[in-house]
């Protein structure tokens, strides 16, 4: 990459600490050794499928943040892990909740073909050969248990990448001989250039997988990175269901003033009242105190591709979770018409914007993409680079740690 000076830019202030809110470098294991030499300070690395859960854990063991207070002073602390199951692979999970017709709960046997017929739209008679070649599905309860164990092993870890996707189709199975010739530099399990089948995962099954992970995030008090393609309304509906009965009380200015003048029997400050504090002053939204919640305390809509209007519902003062929106060159600025995302970025509050690379390999290319999206956002917001990177870093800490 050309230097900033030769490209006509002001030098990029990497020393102010750039945080990548969403990336996938474990898809290219050979690139992981370059993480300590990157300009970016922290990579928030997502797990997505069976093949990369342990890789993300191993990478966090090597480079993980150990202390959320002073990590920026230690060059070895560069990774925040996230463990989750992406909707593209949601058909590989079987919901063993007692309502699954393709699971014999007495002996644990799975009718694999019946499972895939249930969860893949368009699958039916005549598709048995394709369906029988798919992997044996994993019980959702086992995945959730394994994920909870990983979250306990990594107390700062998040949940992600999770979500809903109406557009994707699963790839065709590997043909004879193709597995032997696949590029071994890439972690197995992804599409890897295969043609797409006609089958999509039914939205109802995706919702069941997403909801279970959101509830786990609430139980553990962890933030979540959410993938949403043609499904922003459906994601919001699930969140609304989890928020039911727990939304913040939104007070008028006069009511806030009246409450402050009450005798002092409940001397909660204004923020505590709005965030749903109980009579003892315990802010239950804080995953570190109070009873576990049925929803995640913080959510990032990763590479948000929706229009500006839905922002109003995600950012309504009654919402009991903090919602952030991250943006990447790969998704948001690669199309011919960036006007929609530019309008979204201009409409958001300063403290809800994050940046990401969404890249599958660590190293110089990831830094290039991060620098470019930071410059774009700073230009759209009217921030200097110094002010913008400082604000984005504060936002990332707010998302990741709630601080």
């Amino acid at each position: 990459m050309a230097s900033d000076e030769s490209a006509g830019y002001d030098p990029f202030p990497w020393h102010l600490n750039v945080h990548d809110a969403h990336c996938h470098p474990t898809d290219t294991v050979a690139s992981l050794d370059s993480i300590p030499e990157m300009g970016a300070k922290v990579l928030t690395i997502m797990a997505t499928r069976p093949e990369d859960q342990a890789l993300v854990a191993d990478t966090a063991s090597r480079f993980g943040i150990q202390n959320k207070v002073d990590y920026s002073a230690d060059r070895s602390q560069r990774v925040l892990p996230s463990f989750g199951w992406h909707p593209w692979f949601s058909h590989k999970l079987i919901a063993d909740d007692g309502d699954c017709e393709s699971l014999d709960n007495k002996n644990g046997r799975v009718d694999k073909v019946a499972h895939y017929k249930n969860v893949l739209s368009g699958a039916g008679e005549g598709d048995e050969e394709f369906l029988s070649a798919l992997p044996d599905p994993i019980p959702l309860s086992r995945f959730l248990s394994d994920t909870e164990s990983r979250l306990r092993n990594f107390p700062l870890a998040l949940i992600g990448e999770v979500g809903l996707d109406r557009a994707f189709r699963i790839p065709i199975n590997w043909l004879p001989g193709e597995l032997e010739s696949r590029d071994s530099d890439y972690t197995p399990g992804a599409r890897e250039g295969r043609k797409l089948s006609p089958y999509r995962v039914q939205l109802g099954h995706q919702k069941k997988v997403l909801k279970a992970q959101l509830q786990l995030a609430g139980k553990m008090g962890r933030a979540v990175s959410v993938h949403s393609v043609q499904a922003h309304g459906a994601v919001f509906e699930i969140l609304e269901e989890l928020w039911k009965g727990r939304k913040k009380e939104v007070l008028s200015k006069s009511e806030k003033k009246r409450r402050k003048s009450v005798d002092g029997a409940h001397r909660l400050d204004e923020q505590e009242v709005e965030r749903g504090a109980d009579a003892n002053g315990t802010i239950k939204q804080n995953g570190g105190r109070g009873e576990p919640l049925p929803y995640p305390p913080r959510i990032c809509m990763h590479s948000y591709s929706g229009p500006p209007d839905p922002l109003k519902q995600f950012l309504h003062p009654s919402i009991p979770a903090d919602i952030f929106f991250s943006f990447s060159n790969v998704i948001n600025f690669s199309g011919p018409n960036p006007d929609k995302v530019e309008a979204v970025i201009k409409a958001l509050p300063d403290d809800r914007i994050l940046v990401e690379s969404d890249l599958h390999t660590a190293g110089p290319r990831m830094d290039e993409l991060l620098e470019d999206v930071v410059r774009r956002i700073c230009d759209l917001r009217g921030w200097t680079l110094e002010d913008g990177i400082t604000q984005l870093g504060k936002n990332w800490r707010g998302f990741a740690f709630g601080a």
Side-chain angles (χ1 to χ4, degrees):
M1 182 178 69
S3 67
D4 292 332
E5 291 84 350
S6 64
Y9 294 133
D10 293 332
F12 194 74
W14 289 106
H15 66 281
L16 295 177
N17 295 334
V18 175
H19 299 73
D20 188 337
H22 187 108
C23 59
H24 303 272
T26 50
D27 280 354
T28 313
V29 173
S31 74
L32 298 175
D33 288 341
S34 67
I35 289 176
E37 308 307 319
M38 288 181 60
K41 175 56 192 174
V42 174
L43 309 182
T44 314
I45 299 181
M46 301 290 131
T48 61
R49 57 192 189 275
E51 294 84 356
D52 64 5
Q53 307 292 327
L55 285 173
V56 172
D58 290 345
T59 305
S61 295
R62 295 177 64 193
F63 306 120
I65 292 175
Q66 305 299 317
N67 187 317
K68 64 184 180 181
V69 176
D70 57 7
Y71 69 91
S72 61
D74 188 341
R75 287 185 59 82
S76 67
Q77 297 187 43
R78 309 299 289 268
V79 165
L80 186 68
S82 286
F83 301 102
W85 201 287
H86 195 288
W88 291 354
F89 312 102
S90 55
H91 58 294
K92 298 181 181 181
L93 289 174
I94 184 167
D96 51 337
D97 54 6
D99 297 325
C100 180
E101 297 179 358
S102 53
L103 176 66
D104 184 338
N105 285 298
K106 184 173 290 187
N107 58 32
R109 292 177 181 172
V110 175
D111 185 335
K112 180 168 71 171
V113 171
H115 163 72
Y116 286 122
K117 284 183 177 179
N118 286 337
V119 303
L120 295 177
S121 62
E125 298 303 321
D127 297 317
E128 286 81 3
E129 182 178 358
F130 176 85
L131 301 178
S132 63
L134 292 172
D136 291 336
I138 298 169
L140 176 58
S141 62
R142 183 197 305 167
F143 166 69
L144 294 172
S145 177
D146 291 346
T147 301
E148 182 171 341
S149 295
R150 290 190 173 101
L151 294 173
R152 294 189 186 282
N153 288 337
F154 296 95
L156 300 180
L158 313 184
I159 288 184
E161 178 177 0
V162 304
L164 302 177
D165 193 318
R166 295 182 188 269
F168 84 102
R169 290 175 288 150
I170 68 171
I172 64 171
N173 296 318
W174 291 101
L175 297 174
E178 285 185 334
L179 274 176
E180 290 74 17
S181 60
R182 65 173 291 276
D183 191 338
S184 60
D185 288 340
Y186 295 107
T187 299
R191 179 183 173 187
E192 296 185 51
R194 287 177 287 167
K195 293 181 180 180
L196 298 176
S197 76
Y199 309 111
R200 289 181 168 88
V201 181
Q202 293 185 13
L203 194 64
H205 182 71
Q206 293 187 49
K207 285 182 174 180
K208 187 172 288 189
V209 172
L210 172 59
K211 184 178 178 181
Q213 294 182 90
L214 294 175
Q215 290 171 318
L216 177 60
K219 174 183 178 180
M220 303 295 291
R222 308 300 176 89
V224 175
S225 187
V226 175
H227 169 109
S228 177
V229 174
Q230 300 177 17
H232 300 307
V235 169
F236 190 77
E237 287 175 4
I238 294 175
L239 292 170
E240 282 270 78
E241 183 180 342
L242 298 177
W243 293 333
K244 188 175 181 180
R246 293 176 176 267
K247 286 193 173 182
K248 301 176 191 176
E249 183 180 7
V250 181
L251 304 178
S252 65
K253 290 183 179 179
S254 61
E255 181 64 13
K256 290 176 183 178
K257 185 175 181 180
R258 188 192 71 79
R259 290 201 179 187
K260 282 187 175 181
S261 67
V262 172
D263 290 340
H266 304 288
R267 289 193 179 277
L268 302 174
D269 67 27
E270 181 177 315
Q271 180 186 19
E272 289 174 327
V273 171
E274 292 186 350
R275 291 173 69 89
D278 64 19
N280 295 317
T282 300
I283 302 175
K284 295 181 180 180
Q285 184 171 329
N286 184 342
R289 294 184 290 164
E291 65 184 29
L293 296 172
Y295 57 83
R298 300 174 301 283
I299 299 162
C300 173
M301 301 299 292
H302 123 76
S303 283
Y304 178 74
S305 58
D309 285 348
L311 299 179
K312 297 175 183 177
Q313 61 183 4
F314 281 109
L315 297 175
H316 192 275
S318 67
I319 299 302
D322 293 331
I323 315 294
F324 297 80
F325 300 81
S326 64
F327 302 93
S328 67
N329 265 14
V330 172
I331 303 297
N332 299 116
F333 291 103
S334 60
N337 186 3
D339 291 349
K340 182 172 72 172
V341 68
E342 291 178 0
V344 168
I345 291 170
K346 290 178 180 179
L348 282 168
D350 286 351
D351 63 351
R352 298 304 178 93
I353 302 172
L354 302 171
V355 293
E356 58 169 279
S357 67
D358 198 23
L359 196 65
H360 63 280
T361 182
R365 181 56 181 157
M366 186 175 282
D367 277 341
E368 289 175 12
L369 290 173
L370 286 169
E371 176 177 344
D372 195 40
V373 74
V374 168
R375 288 185 182 276
R376 285 177 182 267
I377 288 177
C378 286
D379 183 60
L380 290 168
R381 299 293 302 190
W383 294 336
T384 65
L385 282 177
E386 289 76 10
D387 289 345
I389 292 175
T390 299
Q391 180 67 59
L392 292 168
K394 181 179 179 181
N395 296 353
W396 181 87
R397 289 187 292 275
F399 163 62
F401 306 137

